[in-house]
Amino acid sequence: MRHIIAMGGGGFSMEPENPLLDLYILKQTNKTRPQVCFLPTASGDADSYVAKFRNAFEHYSCDPSHLSLFRLPTSDLESYILEKDVIYVGGGNTKSMLALWREWGLDVILRKAWEHGVILAGLSAGSICWFEEGLTDSYGDKLMPLKCLGLLKGSNCPHYDGEVARRPVYRNYIQSGELQAGYAVDDGVALHFVETELARTVSSRLNAKAYFVSAGDGGHLEQEIETVFLGG
């Protein structure tokens, strides 16, 4: 089965005292000690981000590792990725991340990993990247549409409740047709796709939500998605 778990925000980097989403990702492997590889590309492979990942995941029942494209652990990136159970992609600059991935062929390798049953997960940039399109702040001073990998149909907007401009800008781009209809996700919410269909939506925060946003006559349509709180 192919799995993608796309988080609007949350996990070890945003909720260090709340492991619910990260533990949910690990649980989907059905393994006692899954191998989890962190891709911090969008942050420029920041050492501090890698340290946060390792400090968190070394306390869980898993074998954590990370892949830096600036300090490669191996020349055989495909074998390195395909031996993992989870690929966990961090936040940062989505446009720059995708450019580096394409230069190194990681876009192709990650698709192959997904097709071989490796769970793809991530937050923010690590959520947007799996969709056809996303709303990104990669350009610096404003939010703009971005073409992404296209493993999942439609568009994606993370941090829907966490950044005040996200909601109106995403709605406007969808209404104008500059972005396809898609999923808007609050911080602390994860969309879990099995194959290419949304199977369930879970949250680490009691009132966090997700929505499917589409264009409507004279405005937008925002449909709330049923979300299960993992701390219940």
Side-chain angles (χ1 to χ4, degrees):
M1 301 291 285
R2 299 178 295 178
H3 294 262
I4 293 176
I5 301 174
M7 297 183 283
F12 71 92
S13 61
M14 291 187 66
E15 300 178 318
E17 304 303 321
N18 185 352
L20 290 174
L21 289 180
D22 291 341
L23 293 177
Y24 177 83
I25 292 169
L26 295 178
K27 186 178 180 181
Q28 307 316 305
T29 67
N30 294 316
K31 292 189 176 183
T32 304
R33 286 195 69 84
Q35 295 193 50
V36 184
C37 181
F38 180 50
L39 268 60
T41 319
S43 71
D45 291 345
D47 290 337
S48 60
Y49 204 4
V50 173
K52 284 183 180 180
F53 165 75
R54 288 191 172 275
N55 288 340
F57 278 76
E58 284 172 356
H59 291 90
Y60 306 149
S61 180
C62 67
D63 293 323
S65 61
H66 75 279
L67 173 61
S68 169
L69 295 180
F70 294 91
R71 294 180 293 276
L72 293 173
T74 176
S75 60
D76 188 354
L77 293 179
E78 182 171 317
S79 294
Y80 186 83
I81 292 293
L82 289 177
E83 70 182 9
K84 310 304 181 187
D85 299 300
V86 177
I87 301 298
Y88 191 127
V89 180
N93 190 302
T94 315
K95 182 175 175 63
S96 296
M97 178 183 76
L98 291 174
L100 275 173
W101 282 5
R102 287 167 178 144
E103 179 66 25
W104 285 99
L106 262 181
D107 55 335
V108 176
I109 293 171
L110 289 170
R111 179 180 287 272
K112 182 178 287 188
W114 175 57
E115 291 171 345
H116 281 71
V118 178
I119 294 173
L120 305 181
L123 75 156
S124 194
S127 174
I128 294 170
C129 64
W130 312 120
F131 292 82
E132 291 179 300
E133 301 172 339
L135 184 67
T136 182
D137 58 4
S138 297
Y139 296 89
D141 59 347
K142 58 182 177 179
L143 295 163
M144 296 180 64
L146 180 69
K147 298 294 183 183
C148 300
L149 296 180
L151 278 62
L152 299 173
K153 297 292 186 182
S155 67
N156 178 233
C157 176
H159 308 305
Y160 204 51
D161 67 334
E163 298 176 9
V164 66
R166 291 270 178 176
R167 198 171 204 141
V169 171
Y170 187 56
R171 290 170 169 176
N172 288 340
Y173 274 127
I174 288 176
Q175 185 61 31
S176 69
E178 294 173 85
L179 275 174
Q180 299 179 61
Y183 297 91
V185 188
D186 287 352
D187 291 337
V189 174
L191 305 171
H192 184 172
F193 291 83
V194 179
E195 298 301 335
T196 57
E197 299 298 322
L198 182 61
R200 64 190 67 91
T201 304
V202 298
S203 74
S204 60
R205 303 180 186 182
L206 186 58
N207 296 312
K209 301 180 185 299
Y211 308 86
F212 188 79
V213 184
S214 57
D217 292 336
H220 66 277
L221 302 174
E222 187 177 271
Q223 179 181 357
E224 185 176 326
I225 299 168
E226 182 180 358
T227 302
V228 177
F229 175 50
L230 293 171

